Amino acid sequence: MRIISGKYKGKILTAPKKLPVRPTTDMAKEGLFNILNNHYKFLNISVLDLFSGTGNVSYEFASRGTKDITAVDSHYACLGYIKNVSKDLDFEIETIKSDVYSYLEKTNRKADIIFADPPYDFTTEQFLKISELVFKKDLLHENGVLIIEHSKYTKLEESPHFDNSRKYGGSVFSFFKK
């Protein structure tokens, strides 16, 4: 996994093989951040990274100057890895060990960008529940966006908040707005 841009542009990070993750590919991540770069000033936003895994997306935001980043994952070793990388690179990434659905039910924390990268084998209902909770709890700031990464075989257009999607290889980013 590689940091695409910012302070640590080109830095390669190698996550332990034992982590139960599927990091966002560099090609897909680069495409996503090209889109986000046209809409947000990374220094001034807050980010919530759900199903954060290795922290790949959080590091990209941090390298580009984002200071308000929260990574949520249920796997202790994933969060330990994120903490270690954050310490080594002097990133300010808060980590929270929690089931993502429980976290969304309980939190009132708003963000400009909420990124969710759940396992690709989730059912459509499990994917849509993320969107449902984010909008029910009003967790996005004005002009905020929820981005859910999923396989090209999952279709999320039925959500009332679905805006558009972008495909990169076998990965798709679906964007949801108020």
Side-chain angles (χ1 to χ4, degrees):
M1 130 182 96
R2 178 176 59 92
I3 296 177
I4 306 295
S5 188
K7 181 177 180 180
Y8 289 98
K9 177 181 181 176
K11 176 134 182 88
I12 295 174
L13 300 169
T14 306
K17 295 200 183 301
K18 65 181 183 214
L19 296 181
V21 297
R22 174 208 28 80
T24 301
T25 66
D26 289 347
M27 178 190 75
K29 186 171 61 169
E30 187 167 9
L32 172 65
F33 276 85
N34 284 340
I35 293 167
L36 295 176
N37 196 43
N38 291 320
H39 299 285
Y40 296 95
K41 294 190 183 326
F42 294 113
L43 291 171
N44 304 324
I45 62 170
S46 55
V47 174
L48 179 58
D49 184 4
L50 304 174
F51 303 96
S52 53
T54 62
N56 188 10
V57 170
S58 289
Y59 307 142
E60 194 65 43
F61 278 110
S63 181
R64 293 167 187 247
T66 305
K67 301 284 186 218
D68 185 0
I69 304 169
T70 302
V72 180
D73 202 283
S74 62
H75 198 272
Y76 181 78
C78 289
L79 295 174
Y81 179 71
I82 294 170
K83 286 179 187 178
N84 289 337
V85 171
S86 295
K87 183 180 177 187
D88 290 346
L89 301 181
D90 197 29
F91 288 157
E92 298 175 28
I93 300 173
E94 177 186 6
T95 58
I96 297 176
K97 183 182 183 312
S98 177
D99 169 78
V100 167
Y101 298 111
S102 297
Y103 176 81
L104 290 174
E105 289 278 358
K106 294 175 186 167
T107 192
N108 289 319
R109 182 193 188 286
K110 288 189 176 218
D112 296 293
I113 298 173
I114 300 177
F115 179 81
D117 184 9
Y120 276 17
D121 63 356
F122 268 22
T123 64
T124 300
E125 291 73 26
Q126 287 173 299
F127 280 104
L128 291 173
K129 186 173 181 181
I130 298 164
S131 171
E132 177 187 315
L133 287 168
V134 165
F135 291 101
K136 181 177 98 175
K137 296 284 307 269
D138 192 28
L139 299 179
L140 287 171
H141 288 300
E142 194 66 34
N143 299 316
V145 64
L146 165 65
I147 305 159
I148 300 178
E149 181 178 345
H150 56 89
S151 84
K152 62 184 179 182
Y153 303 108
T154 301
K155 306 293 182 215
L156 302 180
E157 293 84 358
E158 68 187 65
S159 168
H161 298 285
F162 178 83
D163 186 61
N164 69 78
S165 64
R166 302 287 176 92
K167 183 179 172 201
Y168 299 92
S171 297
V172 177
F173 296 112
S174 287
F175 295 80
F176 302 82
K177 296 181 179 176
K178 288 184 181 184

